[in-house]
Amino acid sequence: MITDSALFTLGGSRAGCEFVLPCDLWPVNVDEDQIKQVIHNIVVNADHAMPDGGTITISAKNIKKSPGSDPHLKPGPYVRIAVSDHGEGIAPGNLSKIFDPFFTTKEKNSGLGLTTAHSIIQKHGGGFGPNLK
């Protein structure tokens, strides 16, 4: 699901994708179409961050949250998916706004991609952000 969604999203792009997906990832109970939308939205942002092309790395790993280890997640098993690119990054002044509806730094975008991704992940009981390890 992760590879198919990412590769479809990058069709015709100058960016490529590298996957680090272990064979022993735990099964997850998700709405596949919604999670594909999350992957799509994040990969589109990564692609736009590298207009001259580059490599987007998508990795996943099993993690277990113990009680009190993270105020944003219930204790239990999770599959953590990380997406990284080699773009300029998000300006520090914009970090607090990236999940706000209609916030965008791009002229021709709606600003709903990360908002939608964030909402879907939260509805699946997960978290979203760089500090989830």
Side-chain angles (χ1 to χ4, degrees):
M1 174 176 63
I2 294 170
T3 56
D4 289 349
S5 182
L7 292 174
F8 179 78
T9 300
L10 291 175
S13 168
R14 297 175 78 179
C17 215
E18 173 182 88
F19 298 97
V20 182
L21 305 171
C23 296
D24 65 345
L25 287 176
W26 295 325
V28 292
N29 183 17
V30 297
D31 180 308
E32 188 173 333
D33 289 332
Q34 288 186 359
I35 299 303
K36 284 181 178 180
Q37 182 68 50
V38 169
I39 300 297
H40 170 82
N41 291 358
I42 296 170
V43 170
V44 163
N45 276 19
D47 183 38
H48 288 173
M50 303 182 302
D52 295 326
T55 301
I56 298 168
T57 302
I58 302 177
S59 61
K61 69 178 183 176
N62 298 325
I63 60 170
K64 187 145 182 132
K65 291 293 182 182
S66 57
S69 67
D70 189 323
H72 304 291
L73 298 174
K74 294 179 183 177
Y78 292 85
V79 172
R80 179 182 185 265
I81 301 171
V83 179
S84 62
D85 61 60
H86 298 282
E88 292 182 21
I90 300 168
N94 290 338
L95 276 175
S96 65
K97 304 176 209 170
I98 62 170
F99 300 122
D100 292 351
F102 307 110
F103 173 76
T104 184
T105 58
K106 302 170 203 155
E107 199 170 298
K108 297 180 181 179
N109 288 56
S110 68
L112 293 175
L114 290 181
T115 302
T116 301
H118 187 258
S119 175
I120 291 170
I121 293 300
Q122 283 188 320
K123 287 180 181 174
H124 278 80
F128 203 108
N131 299 324
L132 298 175
K133 295 186 167 92

